[in-house]
Amino acid sequence: MIPYGKQEISEADLDSVMSVLKSEYLTQGPIVQKFEKAVSDYCGSKYAVATNSATSALHVACLALGVGQGDIVWTSPVSFVASANCALYCGATIDFVDIDSSTFCMSVDALQDKLECAEKSGMLPKVVIPVHLAGHVCDMKSIRLLSLKYGFKIIEDASHAIGAIYDGLKVGSCFYSEVTVFSFHPVKIITTGEGGMALTNSQEVATIMGRLRSHGITRNLNEMERVPDGLWYYEQLDLGFNYRMSDIHAALGLSQLSQLDSFLEKRHKVANKYEEIIPHGLVKKQSQDPLSISSYHLYILRMKDVLKRNSAFERMRNAGILVNVHYIPIYRQPYYSRFCFDISNFPESENYYREAISIPIYPSLTYDQQLYIVETLFAENGFQNLF
Ligand SMILES: *Cc1c(COP(=O)(O)O)cnc(C)c1O
């Protein structure tokens, strides 16, 4: 079996986790702080708030940016459902911006058109959540310019994109956004088992996100509304959650982070090999913004039509190659049918959904496995025994 993605766990990772298990602290403690500082140092942001998942991080990020009832949030329909659910958790309305046919990320043209319409009808979004699909970074300069013009805030869903670079800056620097969110789910670039993180350069946003992840409680005298009753005193200021990351998870993350650059190098090697051996006339690969250097969380191809894609998908699965489709457009989910989205507003997402297939990519994928994958993918075209 060749999965589409998987984690790489080293001896150092095991040692790191074991040392926390032998320490006094298991829940959120000094290692979480260390992990937060290490990620924000790596990415070049001022603040980082670790959470138990990227979904939680997206939720507290929306709340910290003031998203609530009556507000509108936009994201890409070609993403994991969490990119949209976070807005619904806050009682806001969600809507989608169609994708670009070549980068498969949010289309800046579609965004601009939708903003012009929304301005006329007084329905501008409070927050837009671009998704760096597969680790390919969105056209953040253009999205930032539009955010300045129309007054919305930006949360980058960078669940796929830790280590990716945009115009010389690491994703997570938050140079073009208010908040950037990473996921540390095992299929992502680095893992904590389950976990996420929200990065920002705003002290206020960081403080609110940090409080919301732990019941809305503060022990910081500067944040308190009343005079403390005693040393035991704490205050609940918001209706928060238990979204904390544990030190056990953070220890794994910290150790994984030290291998991030080597993971990225290996992912690039795999991507370059695919580039070499895939017959590009037969498929369309995901193109990148010229300023983006991808983290290659996924390797997505588009087949000529739905029949070709479906038969390739079946052939791959039968051959033990666990291809996938990232993603079913979110508006197609049964839960989302209650919002009555008009599918004709998303022609590119619909085309994409008929044609897309994610083939395996992860650091330890071998060249021979890649040959087998490409051979199987194009078997219909007489590619067997080509290599
Ligand atoms: C994985 C993923 C998430 C959710 O991450 P969790 O850490 O599992 O909550 C959100 N958005 C995208 C684009 C993802 O791929």
Side-chain angles (χ1 to χ4, degrees), residues 45-328:
S45 76
K46 285 195 184 145
Y47 308 98
V49 175
T51 53
N52 58 357
S53 72
T55 304
S56 307
L58 286 165
H59 185 192
V60 295
C62 283
L63 290 171
L65 296 182
V67 173
Q69 214 132 32
D71 291 323
I72 300 167
V73 174
W74 292 355
T75 188
S76 169
V78 175
S79 184
F80 185 57
V81 291
S83 308
N85 286 345
C86 59
L88 301 180
Y89 296 155
C90 304
T93 302
I94 189 78
D95 201 355
F96 300 100
V97 181
D98 205 7
I99 60 165
D100 179 272
S101 63
S102 51
T103 65
F104 316 157
C105 292
M106 182 182 284
S107 156
V108 170
D109 290 340
L111 177 61
Q112 178 146 17
D113 290 350
K114 202 174 168 79
L115 286 165
E116 278 169 24
C117 284
E119 188 176 41
K120 285 182 198 136
S121 54
M123 301 279 280
L124 282 170
K126 183 171 235 174
V127 167
V128 173
I129 308 178
V131 180
H132 302 319
L133 187 72
H136 288 33
V137 188
C138 299
D139 178 357
M140 291 311 297
K141 285 196 182 188
S142 303
I143 297 172
R144 191 39 141 189
L145 285 176
L146 289 170
S147 95
L148 297 173
K149 182 170 175 197
Y150 290 96
F152 60 84
K153 291 172 179 162
I154 300 173
I155 300 172
E156 294 172 69
D157 184 342
S159 293
H160 301 178
I162 193 167
I165 292 170
Y166 181 79
D167 198 19
L169 294 174
K170 291 257 164 58
V171 166
S173 74
C174 299
F175 192 76
Y176 301 96
S177 62
E178 274 62 42
V179 181
T180 301
V181 168
F182 294 133
S183 171
F184 305 124
H185 180 281
V187 293
K188 308 291 164 75
I189 307 278
I190 59 170
T191 188
T192 58
E194 292 278 2
M197 202 176 280
L199 280 66
T200 182
N201 291 320
S202 157
Q203 186 179 16
E204 191 194 348
V205 170
T207 301
I208 298 173
M209 293 193 300
R211 226 164 40 212
L212 286 172
R213 106 181 121 175
S214 197
H215 309 282
I217 285 173
T218 186
R219 287 189 158 79
N220 183 342
L221 288 173
N222 300 323
E223 294 173 30
M224 288 184 185
E225 290 182 3
R226 300 179 189 156
V227 179
D229 301 335
L231 288 175
W232 63 86
Y233 190 74
Y234 58 81
E235 283 185 353
Q236 182 190 343
L237 297 173
D238 320 292
L239 184 60
F241 312 89
N242 182 349
Y243 282 171
R244 289 187 303 265
M245 178 182 279
S246 79
D247 264 21
I248 305 170
H249 294 82
L252 179 54
L254 205 50
S255 174
Q256 286 262 302
L257 184 67
S258 69
Q259 301 158 82
L260 171 56
D261 286 338
S262 104
F263 288 163
L264 291 168
E265 203 184 306
K266 288 175 187 160
R267 284 179 179 275
H268 273 266
K269 219 177 208 167
V270 171
N272 290 339
K273 278 286 174 229
Y274 274 141
E275 180 77 19
E276 240 172 67
I277 63 181
I278 285 173
H280 289 289
L282 296 175
V283 283
K284 181 169 169 182
K285 64 164 191 154
Q286 184 183 10
S287 62
Q288 254 186 96
D289 185 280
L291 297 176
S292 156
I293 301 175
S294 182
S295 52
Y296 283 107
H297 164 54
L298 301 172
Y299 201 90
I300 303 172
L301 295 170
R302 283 173 71 163
M303 315 289 286
K304 285 261 182 309
D305 56 53
V306 67
L307 291 176
K308 280 230 164 9
R309 195 276 307 271
N310 290 354
S311 67
F313 198 98
E314 219 170 282
R315 190 165 57 248
M316 298 291 270
R317 285 276 175 113
N318 288 339
I321 302 165
L322 300 183
V323 287
N324 219 322
V325 172
H326 297 97
Y327 292 90
I328 306 163

